[in-house]
Amino acid sequence: MPVEIPHDSVGLVSPRVEHFDTPLELACGRALEQYDLVIETYGELNAEASNAILICHALSGNHHVAGYHSLEDRKPGWWDSAVGPGKCIDTQRFFVVALNNLGGCHGSTGPKSLNPATGKPYGPDFPIITVTDWVNSQARLADRLGIQQWAAVVGGSLGGMQALQWSISYPERLRHCVVIAAAPKLSTQNIAFNEVARQAISKDPQFFQGHYYEQGVVPKTGLMLARMVGHITYLSEDGMREKFGRELRSGKINFDFHPQFEIESYLHYQGEQFSTVFDANTYLLMTKALDYFDPAAEFGNDLTAALSQVKCRFFVVSFTTDWRFSPERSREIVDALIDAGQPVTYSEIEAAHGHDAFLIPIPRYMEVFSAYMQRVAAEIGEEHAR
Amino acid sequence: MPVEIPHDSVGLVSPRVEHFDTPLELACGRALEQYDLVIETYGELNAEASNAILICHALSGNHHVAGYHSLEDRKPGWWDSAVGPGKCIDTQRFFVVALNNLGGCHGSTGPKSLNPATGKPYGPDFPIITVTDWVNSQARLADRLGIQQWAAVVGGSLGGMQALQWSISYPERLRHCVVIAAAPKLSTQNIAFNEVARQAISKDPQFFQGHYYEQGVVPKTGLMLARMVGHITYLSEDGMREKFGRELRSGKINFDFHPQFEIESYLHYQGEQFSTVFDANTYLLMTKALDYFDPAAEFGNDLTAALSQVKCRFFVVSFTTDWRFSPERSREIVDALIDAGQPVTYSEIEAAHGHDAFLIPIPRYMEVFSAYMQRVAAEIGEEHAR
């Protein structure tokens, strides 16, 4: 519980649900006849509706980006370090919109929602969702909120991929695209790790081919293993060594199979926690959205061609020890943008935290991110002045 | 089936069992009252018993290093590329000894062996075995075979760790130590991946807390997941991309959860195969031996101190894209040897294959390995001449 809410917090916030009943055609060929998106917003939309920022979430994220849901909340939203009054994404200047993506498990329509056609949870019958589908659903959300053009679409990791897709799918509808710790598509190794996670979940006897809701159980072990593998890829090798080393919990080797190195306990804890809050079918969907993301594919595998029609300016950020989506992968985006003659600012941040760095308020990262967003904010002022 | 056995093969070989009934005291404080080691030997021991080479195996290896067990064998032993007449470890000059380590599942006493005290398989009651324990058991094997001093102890990965431990535990008993693709201890990340594998196995409902033999089942899913994770760490990211890329089996995205990228099918196949041949309890033991290996620990965490009393010469090999035990880790060994004033030859091999490279006959690797072993062989000749 925060004794008192920090002065630079957006404070107490409440999610709300936006219902949509125009069918959404999906890349897989199916359609969602109706769906809910749960959202949070912070700050005020200006009269011109020109100060709106969309924040897209990563694999396990959601709409609760900043602030607290109650005074009893132990932790604020997942990107509270970057979103709030006076922060990088300054809620005194911007109207910030965050949502839980379709297929999610935090309030938007997803596998654990009731399928209106059957009256039962969708479970494994929920359609496979792509990054493009998400962006289409977000465009409808923008329509609903009266936002014709985002000042910026911002995201880290899978969120950055959504921002990138926005620039391609709706070039007129964003002025800035902020792509943090992302990649233009998954590497073979990325896909391999995702498949291990999927196998861990789907081979868990409690998975019941995705129909575990009806059984009153969850594939806890599978989710735990998936999260443990994921977590290893989120941390850098150096960061792990610095944080956990080969330290033993009891100071000595036990000669048994209980967790004894600190890193083992940490991974158990992370896996356990995650398995109690996250939905297994959603995890499968999110990893598939990652695997399938490849905006260059429709352009003859030419990322430069894919980015040749974009209209926004780009801010791309990577972190030196990120081995999930390494700086090399961000530079592929930057190089394609340069080749396509598009304006791009690139920052490679020295950080020991691996992929997780995008969530951490590393001073240099916060400085460059703030500076970029201040430019975005200043433009809004200039537009006012015209 | 080999139509005919290649001329540079050791040919048809047979394993044999050596029984030991002097109790072996283990690092964990327990003892094995009696045990079997299954071994293969190639070549002839010379009259002075000075031409013997010990080959130590890695996590999933065994005593069948070279040659064929029958004319129906589809594949030769796991290191046939390096061991045979005229090969790096030339069986015309050396007497080669290979064994399945204690705790293994290929004929040496391990968890699936009958515990003489109970008449049932040891299962989870098999003691935790360390690299030092293995080296002690191998020293007894050397006694049995009349080998007072190895011309060389050779190993890759976990096998290299055994070679390194030999140089410390029995400095008088080897003239050369060949440490390939190894590390002086696991990194935090290495331990983390091992723990994911162990959790996958031990949380498999078919594991029955290690007593699956009595149930007539095996924790197949757990072993499959463990092998899939392992396999990712054996391959380099670049090697994976070159071999599998983002190729789709059917040429298009299926929008379902069946394996569709080539890498997914490959990992499934590897995991499946492994789960039908390898023992789960052995897998757990092998990963613990890896985690616990840390020869510097007894010397105040000073690897130089640990290596100050060794008497042999060292050949250390690493591979550029190995990220399981990277060249940096091999250089820690080399640096400590240099600091300790010990003779060492180091070779860093350009190779795209990641950790797996140590098993692959990469020309430059085979050249330097051959050259080193020819020197070892030449010394034997010189000793004869004296």
Side-chain angles (χ1 to χ4, degrees), chain A residues 7-30:
Chain A
H7 69 93
D8 61 350
S9 168
V10 296
L12 286 176
V13 296
S14 296
R16 74 171 195 264
V17 173
E18 295 287 342
H19 180 73
F20 296 82
D21 50 18
T22 309
L24 182 72
E25 303 291 334
L26 303 170
C28 66
R30 293 168 60 189

Side-chain angles (χ1 to χ4, degrees), chain A residues 27-28 124 128 130 185-193 195-196 198-200 203 205 221 224-225 228-229 232-233 235-237 240-241 244-246 253-261 263-264 267-268 272 281 284-285 288 290-294 323 329, chain B residues 27-28 124 128 130 185-193 195-196 198-200 203 205 221 224-225 228-229 232-233 235-237 240-241 244-246 253-261 263-264 267-268 272 281 284-285 288 290-294 323 329:
Chain A
C28 66
I128 299 242
T130 66
K185 63 183 174 193
L186 291 208
S187 71
T188 318
Q189 190 186 72
N190 293 149
I191 295 172
F193 278 123
E195 180 60 6
V196 171
R198 283 190 294 262
Q199 285 295 310
K203 291 262 164 68
T221 300
M224 186 199 76
L225 291 170
M228 287 174 77
V229 171
I232 298 174
T233 70
L235 302 178
S236 72
E237 179 155 20
M240 248 192 192
R241 186 177 55 237
F244 306 105
R246 292 175 52 93
I253 282 176
N254 289 336
F255 293 107
D256 63 29
F257 292 106
H258 295 113
Q260 46 207 297
F261 290 100
I263 182 65
E264 295 174 303
L267 289 176
H268 281 232
E272 271 287 321
N281 283 316
L284 298 182
L285 286 177
K288 273 292 172 191
L290 277 162
D291 287 6
Y292 287 162
F293 179 67
D294 186 5
W323 64 281
R329 312 306 312 282
Chain B
C28 66
I128 299 240
T130 66
K185 63 184 173 193
L186 291 208
S187 71
T188 319
Q189 190 187 71
N190 293 149
I191 296 172
F193 278 123
E195 180 60 6
V196 170
R198 283 190 293 264
Q199 286 295 309
K203 291 260 164 66
T221 300
M224 187 200 75
L225 290 170
M228 287 174 77
V229 172
I232 298 173
T233 70
L235 302 177
S236 72
E237 179 157 19
M240 246 189 194
R241 185 177 55 237
F244 305 105
R246 292 174 54 90
I253 282 175
N254 289 336
F255 293 108
D256 62 29
F257 292 107
H258 295 115
Q260 47 208 297
F261 291 100
I263 182 64
E264 295 175 302
L267 289 176
H268 281 231
E272 271 287 321
N281 282 316
L284 298 182
L285 287 177
K288 272 293 173 190
L290 278 162
D291 287 7
Y292 287 162
F293 179 68
D294 185 5
W323 64 281
R329 311 306 313 283

Side-chain angles (χ1 to χ4, degrees), chain A residues 42-294:
Chain A
Y42 320 119
E44 298 293 331
L45 187 63
N46 64 14
E48 297 77 15
S50 65
N51 69 333
I53 305 272
L54 175 67
I55 295 180
C56 303
H57 70 72
L59 200 156
S60 60
N62 56 40
H63 55 285
H64 184 39
V65 166
Y68 300 82
H69 281 162
S70 82
L71 288 173
E72 281 67 46
D73 264 4
R74 287 181 303 118
K75 286 198 295 187
W78 60 265
W79 216 10
D80 196 83
S81 57
V83 178
K87 295 183 182 172
C88 296
I89 299 179
D90 186 346
T91 51
Q92 292 168 324
R93 310 184 74 172
F94 293 116
F95 175 65
V96 176
V97 177
L99 77 159
N100 184 213
N101 277 338
L102 276 178
C105 54
H106 291 94
S108 291
T109 299
K112 67 176 185 176
S113 308
L114 291 186
N115 179 349
T118 65
K120 289 185 189 168
Y122 280 100
D125 301 326
F126 197 84
I128 299 242
I129 302 283
T130 66
V131 169
T132 306
D133 295 331
W134 282 334
V135 167
N136 290 339
S137 70
Q138 291 158 1
R140 292 205 180 165
L141 175 63
D143 295 342
R144 172 72 56 89
L145 300 174
I147 297 160
Q148 180 49 36
Q149 187 183 58
W150 300 101
V153 178
V154 179
S157 192
L158 178 55
M161 293 169 174
Q162 293 163 60
L164 191 61
Q165 187 63 50
W166 260 97
S167 74
I168 297 166
S169 293
Y170 297 97
E172 311 283 353
R173 299 198 68 174
L174 70 166
R175 292 195 297 281
H176 292 272
C177 179
V178 179
V179 180
I180 304 172
K185 63 183 174 193
L186 291 208
S187 71
T188 318
Q189 190 186 72
N190 293 149
I191 295 172
F193 278 123
N194 278 348
E195 180 60 6
V196 171
R198 283 190 294 262
Q199 285 295 310
I201 290 170
S202 59
K203 291 262 164 68
D204 185 325
Q206 308 280 57
F207 183 63
F208 292 102
Q209 303 195 291
H211 294 287
Y212 47 88
Y213 313 108
E214 294 96 311
Q215 311 286 334
V217 295
V218 290
K220 201 170 155 53
T221 300
L223 268 171
M224 186 199 76
L225 291 170
R227 184 61 162 184
M228 287 174 77
V229 171
H231 225 90
I232 298 174
T233 70
Y234 303 152
L235 302 178
S236 72
E237 179 155 20
D238 287 355
M240 248 192 192
R241 186 177 55 237
E242 280 165 32
K243 197 163 169 189
F244 306 105
R246 292 175 52 93
E247 293 307 310
L248 294 158
R249 290 176 71 199
S250 67
K252 63 174 181 52
I253 282 176
N254 289 336
F255 293 107
D256 63 29
F257 292 106
H258 295 113
Q260 46 207 297
F261 290 100
E262 292 289 355
I263 182 65
E264 295 174 303
S265 310
Y266 173 78
L267 289 176
H268 281 232
Y269 177 79
Q270 294 291 337
E272 271 287 321
Q273 284 289 102
F274 188 73
S275 70
T276 62
V277 298
F278 207 82
D279 180 64
N281 283 316
T282 290
Y283 200 90
L284 298 182
L285 286 177
M286 295 285 156
T287 59
K288 273 292 172 191
L290 277 162
D291 287 6
Y292 287 162
F293 179 67
D294 186 5

